[in-house]
Amino acid sequence: MKFLLSVLSVIIFSLNSFAQDINQHPVQLLSGPMVGHTTSSEANIWIETDKPAEVKIHYWVESGSRPIERGVANGRTNEDEPHTGVVELTNVPSGGTVHYELEIDGRPIRPQTIQSFTLLPEEDSFVDFKVAFASCMNPSRIPLQPIWTQVAVFDPDAFFLIGDNNYMPNSAEEYETSESTVKYAMGRYHRFLRDVPGLRTVLATTPTYGIWDDHDYGPNNSDRTFEWRELSLDLFKKYWPNPAAGTSDTPGIFYSFKIADVEFFMMDDRYHRDPNNAPDRKTMLGEQQLAWLKDQLQASTATFKVIVNGHTMSIDRKGSGEYWANFGTEREDFLNWMFSENIEGVFFLSGDWHVGSLSRVDFSDEGYPLYELISSNAGVHTVEADAHQYSRNRAVTGHNRNFDGPIVNDLDVYNFGLLEFSGDENDRSVVLKLIDHRGEVRVAHLLSQEDLRKM
């Protein structure tokens, strides 16, 4: 009997110890690091852990012209799931490469990729820099996406993911479940994007900014009537360390920021959108977001003002309810306002269509040509129907399109966009490029600041 009691005591002790070990296992890094909003002296590093944790970023700055400088920044991941967090690096010496390492609850985390980046140029400076952008990634369908190797090779100073960054369930019926289930699934879709090989390296080495389109907001062609839009907005803000998300008066994911003498206006085309099938649809952006955009454009002193949206803004696609011109007179009114207010230097970036193209629309004799660079299909299959429909529907109703750049719509060819800004203060220009997954430049067009002024 004593022997059996002794054995039983050992078993109970072992089980208690095992349970205690499980409860006290070291915090795990689930996702990241990702470099978020960055300036000439500050940067945000985003991570996700499996439970709340203290986070330290140890970093050192290598400039090549002065002694190495070291620093450490502290932060914490959220108490509630998802346990995401941002560590802010401040007063970082400019002009060098920032190398960094993670420490979670006092435990060093071995990097899974290179962890270094360069601070962005000072606002209002006139320097050369590059920005890359992409849209339409479906990691569950295409887990190996070759485009990210080429993005890294072209080494942009900043990187934008502009919508359909992941593909959540496509039909509205799939969201007819509990809030906890929807929250769980949405969080995993955001996280799995950051596990894509190659993209992980881009995110850890390049200041990255995001907006959404329908597939990473909710079901296909979703709008303001989506049942879980507040939950989707909350999760997006937790997974994307952007400089802002909407305003104190107007919810959404829209924001703006500057790199050198260029200002980027990142739009939200889902949260306020009228349903595509509504008989009286009037708005894609919503009255308050549109008022914000006008205020920001009027106040901007940037040479180039780049409006970035998940879906096309200047181009029409016949037969589709998604394009901006299908929402009453909102687009016409905005563009007429823009030219009447003499807002110079505007062009557009967009995605969604699973092709790449550069288009020019001569909207008004009172303004200048509207250029829109579409980069889509970074990680989805372009099917023959998509390519054919896009080619057939490029005509713009009611306006003269006298320039059509090449279309990148080859089957199973992936692409990303690249903007190369250069020139002196009074002679700035940008080259708009589309590059495929083999590194071939498929589209290249030079725009000078004079091209985006009234004729």
Side-chain angles (χ1 to χ4, degrees):
M1 179 64 72
K2 290 183 179 180
F3 174 76
L4 291 176
L5 289 174
S6 297
V7 171
L8 184 59
S9 297
V10 170
I11 293 173
I12 293 173
F13 177 78
S14 299
L15 289 174
N16 288 335
S17 298
F18 179 71
Q20 188 175 18
D21 288 342
I22 291 177
N23 292 329
Q24 294 182 354
H25 78 269
V27 177
Q28 301 298 309
L29 177 66
L30 292 182
S31 189
M34 175 171 71
V35 184
H37 177 52
T38 300
T39 69
S40 59
S41 61
E42 300 178 347
N44 293 327
I45 309 293
W46 175 96
I47 69 166
E48 181 184 10
T49 54
D50 68 339
K51 54 186 178 181
E54 299 291 337
V55 182
K56 285 187 177 182
I57 300 290
H58 297 272
Y59 64 93
W60 64 103
V61 183
E62 172 191 356
S63 69
S65 60
R66 59 177 184 262
I68 292 173
E69 298 185 53
R70 294 177 57 187
V72 63
N74 300 289
R76 184 172 178 81
T77 55
N78 293 327
E79 292 295 322
D80 299 326
E81 287 193 87
H83 305 295
T84 60
V86 173
V87 180
E88 299 180 3
L89 280 59
T90 59
N91 299 317
V92 182
S94 61
T97 299
V98 181
H99 306 275
Y100 66 98
E101 296 175 334
L102 271 66
E103 179 184 306
I104 298 177
D105 277 356
R107 183 170 60 94
I109 303 300
R110 181 178 180 179
Q112 299 183 50
T113 184
I114 296 298
Q115 294 177 178
S116 63
F117 64 95
T118 303
L119 294 172
L120 293 178
E122 290 187 9
E123 288 190 13
D124 301 319
S125 60
F126 301 95
V127 297
D128 297 356
F129 70 96
K130 296 182 291 186
V131 170
F133 73 100
S135 70
C136 299
M137 289 73 72
N138 195 338
S140 63
R141 295 285 184 88
I142 304 180
L144 294 176
Q145 300 179 357
I147 198 69
W148 309 121
T149 298
Q150 294 304 328
V151 173
V153 166
F154 280 82
D155 190 27
D157 296 283
F159 177 53
F160 305 161
L161 288 171
I162 67 167
D164 294 345
N165 304 321
N166 50 64
Y167 275 62
M168 295 179 184
N170 206 41
S171 67
E173 290 75 16
E174 294 181 86
Y175 295 86
E176 294 176 358
T177 182
S178 67
E179 179 176 354
S180 61
T181 298
V182 174
K183 180 179 179 180
Y184 177 89
M186 283 184 169
R188 269 57 183 178
Y189 284 109
H190 283 303
R191 184 194 303 164
F192 291 165
L193 174 71
R194 291 154 174 78
D195 289 334
V196 174
L199 179 56
R200 176 187 290 162
T201 297
V202 173
L203 300 180
T205 58
T206 314
T208 300
Y209 300 79
I211 55 175
W212 61 25
D213 199 26
D214 53 344
H215 293 296
D216 44 345
Y217 166 72
N220 186 46
N221 295 347
S222 42
D223 52 56
R224 61 176 173 78
T225 65
F226 177 44
E227 178 182 4
W228 303 111
R229 72 169 184 161
E230 301 295 341
L231 176 61
S232 186
L233 174 61
D234 179 66
L235 287 171
F236 194 92
K237 290 191 291 186
K238 289 179 178 176
Y239 276 92
W240 290 96
N242 295 323
T247 68
S248 58
D249 298 323
T250 307
I253 62 162
F254 59 92
Y255 58 97
S256 66
F257 65 99
K258 289 186 76 173
I259 302 177
D261 65 322
V262 181
E263 190 159 6
F264 298 92
F265 304 86
M266 313 294 279
M267 305 305 296
D268 181 343
D269 67 346
R270 293 293 157 184
Y271 190 89
H272 300 279
R273 168 193 289 257
D274 286 337
N276 289 338
N277 58 2
D280 60 343
R281 60 186 170 199
K282 297 179 181 179
T283 183
M284 182 179 77
L285 300 177
E287 181 180 351
Q288 292 174 304
Q289 181 182 188
L290 197 58
W292 168 87
L293 177 60
K294 290 179 178 180
D295 288 344
Q296 296 297 306
L297 287 170
Q298 284 183 314
S300 178
T301 59
T303 305
F304 294 105
K305 304 168 185 68
V306 187
I307 299 178
V308 186
N309 195 53
H311 195 81
T312 177
M313 302 196 79
S314 69
I315 307 170
D316 299 353
R317 181 176 178 177
K318 295 179 182 177
S320 168
E322 286 283 281
Y323 59 86
W324 195 10
N326 230 11
F327 290 83
T329 62
E330 185 173 74
R331 186 187 69 167
E332 313 296 304
D333 294 343
F334 170 77
L335 294 175
N336 285 326
W337 169 87
M338 188 178 81
F339 289 134
S340 69
E341 293 293 317
N342 198 26
I343 307 295
E344 298 180 339
V346 172
F347 65 92
F348 302 94
L349 305 181
S350 61
D352 180 72
W353 284 5
H354 297 188
V355 298
S357 78
L358 174 64
S359 294
R360 165 179 161 171
V361 178
D362 290 327
F363 177 82
S364 168
D365 293 337
E366 301 301 317
Y368 49 82
L370 299 174
Y371 288 87
E372 183 161 8
L373 186 64
I374 295 178
S375 177
S376 183
N377 190 28
V380 296
H381 288 297
T382 296
V383 298
E384 188 171 0
D386 290 333
H388 176 71
Q389 185 182 33
Y390 180 76
S391 300
R392 181 168 52 85
N393 291 335
R394 285 188 93 193
V396 173
T397 304
H399 301 295
N400 176 32
R401 178 193 300 280
N402 59 7
F403 172 85
D404 282 319
I407 306 172
V408 185
N409 65 345
D410 321 44
L411 301 185
D412 298 334
V413 171
Y414 310 105
N415 69 82
F416 73 95
L418 188 70
L419 314 178
E420 298 177 334
F421 297 93
S422 62
D424 298 327
E425 178 176 356
N426 297 314
D427 189 27
R428 297 289 280 170
S429 63
V430 57
V431 180
L432 309 179
K433 292 184 175 181
L434 290 173
I435 300 166
D436 69 22
H437 67 279
R438 294 178 291 260
E440 180 181 349
V441 177
R442 303 290 295 273
V443 174
H445 185 78
L446 175 69
L447 280 181
S448 72
Q449 62 185 98
E450 294 297 325
D451 293 328
L452 301 180
R453 290 176 174 169
K454 282 190 177 183
M455 298 178 182

